[in-house]
């Protein structure tokens, strides 16, 4: 409804400007059908109908290879075990840090929050390179003799997922603290009783939600397992790659992909259930008041928290940058200069600098695709939510988030075995890599833009329509300026994710169009000081790009874009 000339409400026919928003939803829907559901269906068919479409007979002979293989049984058990241990270790170190960050205000707190968040946005290959620079044979802490691959995997997973656990627990704990502790103290409860009987039960849904999310990330870990673990410590994700790329056993790889998808969806269901429970029962305070550390134990807790975050999150990154600048014990830019060279007899088909060039080209293309599809999806969902089609919005919203719960290796594998024949023969197309990257980055654009659209009051659009504005003009003059900050944040997310994507790219990129993560993986897999130094140099450059992108997102968030 919009006000008329006499002050009475006038019904506004919104069909002529909302109908295009519904049609806009066809863009991401078609995109998903082609690049998500069709490849996953192809995995299913390759599992049970391996000769499709030539022959339609069902072949279940491969099941004997899976059921009778003790190695595959061990891989499945190890996948769950390492994810559970990694999650437990992450919770053990993040919980006390969350207590400090949710209770006290101190100098450098914002810097620590940013420092703890940067590792999560780094590509897995950079994380592996940073840990090698820290604990490897020639690392800064090489004297600690941390060589066991399993120990390095656990350290990498804690390093990678610490910020996820810390952010979820800190935000939840800070929200409920002011509402419960004062009331419990008035009833005579001590700090320990308050924590055990009130705070901890209220905190448990958030603990479980954060734990399941970290478990999912560790369960589907690929780059870290592949680089640090090797064949002896393979997970389901790594075994899919091995069966498909090395052994060409597509039925077994497809079946393992189905197993991976099934487990991931179940785990995502647990995460969603606990997330909703956490939101439902969380007593949120309007204003969170942080205390200054005054007692000796409080100051010690703050100091310990600061030192731990710096050691865990910043030291490996500093070691990575340091190793890229040291050659034969002296400061040198030799490894960076070598990036631009292609000496005779190089093991690379193209110079490493070309990988950097292709990464930026692919990321720019993926950025454009993710922005268009994400914006169209957000416009459609926002329109459906504002009308009587809330049920459709509730159905399509989680549907568009499915790429986040599907492993990149599974996506890449499904795409490479399905989009290989007309009319969708894209296996050799240069657009295949950015399409896959856009599929991974699309949910982040949607999650950034949709809340911004929902925050725009309906009466603004209705008044503009009453005054004769066309749908296109309403979008250009009202919606677009108000969501520009969210679009920028989503674009940066899509760009940085594309720059560091590894799991799907290792399937879809051709040898002549490598990306930075693939170049790092190749360097780390080859002997020689020069190869190792160039791996450190390229990893440092990629770390700088992704960290800069995340800092930009944080600055946008500080200006009011808090949708992430």
């Amino acid at each position: 409804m919009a006000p008329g000339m006499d002050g009475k409400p006038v019904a506004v026919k919104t069909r002529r400007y909302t109908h295009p928003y519904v049609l806009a939803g066809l863009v991401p829907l078609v995109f998903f059908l082609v690049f998500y559901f069709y490849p996953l269906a192809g995995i299913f068919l390759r599992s049970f109908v391996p000769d499709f479409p030539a022959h339609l007979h069902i072949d279940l002979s491969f099941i004997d290879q899976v059921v009778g293989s003790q190695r595959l049984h061990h891989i499945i058990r190890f996948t769950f075990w390492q994810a559970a241990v990694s999650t437990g270790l992450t919770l053990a170190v993040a919980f006390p840090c969350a207590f400090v960050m949710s209770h006290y205000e101190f100098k450098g707190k914002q810097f620590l929050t940013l420092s703890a968040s940067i590792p999560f946005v780094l590509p897995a290959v950079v994380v592996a390179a940073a840990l090698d620079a820290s604990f490897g044979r020639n690392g800064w802490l090489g004297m600690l003799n941390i060589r066991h691959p399993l120990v390095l995997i656990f350290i990498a997973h804690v390093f990678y997922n610490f910020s996820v656990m810390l952010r979820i627990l800190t935000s939840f704990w800070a929200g409920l603290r002011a509402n419960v502790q004062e009331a419990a103290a008035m009833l005579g409860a001590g700090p320990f009783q308050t924590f055990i009987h009130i705070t901890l039960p209220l905190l448990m849904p958030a603990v479980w939600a954060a734990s399941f999310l970290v478990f999912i990330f560790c369960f589907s870990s690929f780059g870290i397992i592949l680089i640090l673990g090797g064949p002896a410590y393979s997970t389901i994700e790594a075994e899919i790659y091995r069966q498909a790329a090395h052994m060409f056993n597509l039925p077994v790889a497809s079946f393992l992909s189905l197993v991976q998808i099934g487990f991931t969806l179940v785990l995502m269901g647990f995460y969603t259930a606990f997330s909703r429970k956490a939101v439902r029962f969380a007593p949120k305070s309007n204003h969170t008041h942080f205390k200054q550390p005054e007692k000796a134990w409080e100051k010690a807790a703050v100091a310990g928290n600061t030192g731990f975050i710096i050691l865990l999150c910043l030291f490996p990154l500093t070691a990575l940058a340091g190793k890229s600048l040291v050659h034969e014990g002296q400061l040198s830019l030799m490894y960076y200069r070598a990036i631009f060279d292609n000496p005779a007899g190089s093991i690379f088909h193209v110079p490493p600098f070309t990988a950097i060039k292709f990464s930026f080209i692919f990321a720019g293309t993926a950025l454009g695709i993710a922005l268009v599809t994400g914006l169209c999806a957000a416009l459609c969902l926002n329109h459906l939510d504002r009308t009587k089609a809330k049920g459709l919005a509730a159905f399509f919203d989680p549907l568009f988030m499915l790429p986040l719960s599907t492993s990149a290796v599974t996506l890449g594998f499904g795409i490479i075995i399905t989009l290989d024949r007309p009319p969708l023969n894209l296996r050799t197309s240069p657009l295949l890599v950015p399409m896959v990257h856009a599929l991974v980055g699309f949910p982040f654009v949607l999650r950034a833009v949709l809340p911004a659209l929902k925050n725009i009051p309906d009466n603004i659009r209705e008044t503009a329509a009453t005054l004769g504005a066309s749908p296109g003009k309403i979008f250009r003059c009202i919606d677009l300026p108000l969501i520009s900050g969210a679009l920028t944040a989503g674009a940066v997310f899509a760009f940085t994710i594309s720059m560091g994507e590894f799991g799907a790219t290792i399937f879809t990129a051709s040898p002549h169009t490598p990306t930075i993560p693939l170049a790092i993986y190749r360097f780390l897999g080859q002997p020689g000081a020069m190869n190792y130094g160039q791996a450190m140099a390229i990893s440092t450059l990629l770390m700088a790009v992704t960290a800069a992108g995340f800092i930009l997102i944080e600055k946008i968030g500080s200006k009011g874009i808090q949708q992430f």
Side-chain angles (χ1 to χ4, degrees):
M1 302 293 288
M5 296 297 293
D6 56 355
K8 296 181 180 181
V10 178
V12 178
K13 294 183 179 180
T14 60
R15 180 179 233 171
R16 56 193 177 97
Y17 72 86
T18 56
H19 185 60
Y21 291 166
V22 176
L23 293 179
L26 295 177
V27 174
L29 190 59
V30 172
F31 179 67
F32 261 60
L33 287 174
V34 175
F35 292 99
Y36 183 79
F37 291 107
Y38 178 58
L40 292 188
I43 291 176
F44 182 84
L45 288 174
R46 285 298 180 95
S47 296
F48 301 103
V49 192
D51 296 329
F52 181 86
H55 301 91
L56 299 180
H57 69 278
I58 298 177
D59 184 3
L60 301 179
S61 60
F62 69 91
I63 295 182
D64 293 335
Q65 301 180 45
V66 178
V67 175
S69 173
Q70 293 299 321
R71 181 177 180 274
L72 292 180
H73 295 171
H74 171 75
I75 287 174
I76 295 174
R77 289 195 301 268
F78 175 74
T79 302
F80 279 94
W81 179 80
Q82 64 84 23
V85 174
S86 298
T87 302
L89 292 174
T90 306
L91 177 61
V93 298
F95 195 87
C97 293
F99 169 79
V100 174
M101 300 294 281
S102 63
H103 283 70
Y104 300 104
E105 184 65 46
F106 51 91
K107 290 183 180 180
K109 182 177 179 180
Q110 186 176 1
F111 172 75
L112 282 183
T113 302
L114 180 61
S115 300
S117 302
I118 287 177
F120 181 69
V121 299
L122 294 178
V125 289
V126 174
V127 173
L131 291 182
D132 187 80
S134 301
F135 305 106
R137 188 176 302 277
N138 298 315
W140 283 12
L141 296 179
M143 74 290 296
L144 296 179
N145 198 29
I146 301 177
R147 300 283 189 271
H148 200 286
L150 195 56
V151 176
L152 293 177
I153 289 173
F154 290 148
I155 295 176
H157 283 165
V158 173
F159 172 78
Y160 197 73
N161 297 298
F162 173 77
S163 65
V164 177
M165 190 78 72
L166 181 66
R167 284 207 167 207
I168 294 176
L169 295 182
T170 298
S171 61
F172 192 91
W173 208 335
L176 64 84
R177 177 175 57 83
N179 284 328
V180 297
Q181 289 192 345
E182 290 82 351
M186 292 178 63
L187 295 175
F192 182 76
Q193 289 178 311
T194 301
F195 175 77
I196 294 297
H197 298 292
I198 298 178
T199 303
L200 189 59
L202 288 174
L203 198 60
M204 284 309 297
V207 171
W208 281 111
S211 297
F212 272 108
L213 187 59
V214 171
F215 189 96
I216 290 171
F217 290 143
C218 297
F219 182 83
S220 58
S221 177
F222 175 65
I224 290 173
I225 299 291
L226 189 65
I227 296 173
L228 297 179
Y233 296 94
S234 183
T235 59
I236 297 176
E237 190 97 341
E239 187 64 16
I240 293 171
Y241 171 69
R242 178 177 175 272
Q243 291 285 343
H246 293 170
M247 302 181 67
F248 305 104
N249 194 343
L250 297 186
V252 172
S254 300
F255 183 78
L256 289 176
S257 296
L258 290 179
V259 173
Q260 173 91 337
I261 293 171
F263 282 139
T264 305
L265 289 179
V266 171
L267 293 170
M268 187 62 71
F270 281 114
Y271 163 70
T272 303
F274 280 108
S275 295
R276 291 175 178 173
K277 187 175 180 180
V279 172
R280 187 181 306 128
F281 293 104
K284 299 294 182 182
S285 58
N286 294 328
H287 302 284
T288 301
H289 300 286
F290 298 101
K291 301 187 298 183
Q292 293 290 336
E294 297 176 351
K295 299 178 182 179
W297 72 268
E298 292 177 329
K299 294 180 180 180
V302 170
N305 173 76
T306 302
F308 177 79
I309 292 179
I310 291 176
L311 179 63
L312 175 67
C313 300
L314 290 186
F315 178 80
L317 305 183
T318 305
L320 173 64
K323 295 293 288 186
S324 70
L325 294 170
V326 176
H327 175 67
E328 295 182 351
Q330 296 181 346
L331 289 176
S332 173
L333 295 177
M334 175 181 292
Y335 299 133
Y336 288 92
R337 288 195 296 266
I339 293 175
F340 299 89
D341 298 332
N342 187 22
S346 172
I347 60 173
F348 293 95
H349 298 286
V350 290
F353 176 70
T354 305
I356 299 176
K357 179 184 71 175
F358 278 116
S359 284
F360 276 94
I361 293 175
F362 289 155
T365 307
L367 163 65
I369 298 171
L371 275 182
V372 172
T373 54
L375 178 60
C376 288
L379 290 172
C380 179
L381 291 177
N382 181 59
H383 165 67
L384 293 176
D385 193 56
R386 287 170 50 237
T387 61
K388 295 181 179 180
K390 291 183 179 292
L392 284 176
F395 172 77
F396 282 107
D397 194 353
L399 184 73
F400 287 144
M401 302 305 294
L402 284 177
L404 292 183
S405 62
T406 308
S407 73
V409 170
T410 299
L411 285 177
F413 175 59
I415 286 173
I416 204 65
I417 66 173
T418 53
L419 302 182
D420 60 344
R421 56 177 63 92
L424 294 173
N425 187 6
L426 300 178
R427 178 174 288 186
T428 59
S429 172
L431 285 176
L432 186 58
V433 174
M435 284 292 186
V436 177
H437 290 186
L439 185 65
V440 178
F442 162 86
F444 292 93
V445 177
L446 175 61
R447 288 272 70 85
V449 177
L450 185 58
L453 283 172
K454 289 184 176 181
N455 287 336
I456 301 175
D458 291 342
N459 60 350
I460 297 179
R461 297 190 185 93
E462 293 171 350
T463 302
T466 303
L467 296 175
S470 65
K473 192 169 185 179
I474 291 175
F475 174 74
R476 291 192 307 271
C477 299
I478 296 177
D479 291 342
L480 194 58
L482 293 177
I483 66 172
S484 58
L487 271 176
T488 303
V492 173
F493 245 126
F495 184 86
T496 54
I497 287 171
S498 176
M499 289 290 292
E501 210 291 315
F502 178 66
T505 310
I506 201 170
F507 277 104
T508 55
S510 70
H512 300 287
T513 58
T515 61
I516 296 177
L518 293 183
I520 296 170
Y521 177 61
R522 291 179 183 178
F523 275 127
L524 291 176
Q526 298 295 328
M530 182 58 68
N531 287 327
Y532 180 80
Q534 288 185 80
M536 297 297 108
I538 300 180
S539 298
T540 301
L541 293 177
L542 184 54
M543 176 185 69
V545 171
T546 52
F550 184 77
I551 291 173
L552 177 60
I553 293 172
E554 287 289 299
K555 291 198 172 188
I556 295 173
S558 66
K559 295 178 182 178
I561 306 299
Q562 302 290 347
Q563 292 91 336
F564 287 100

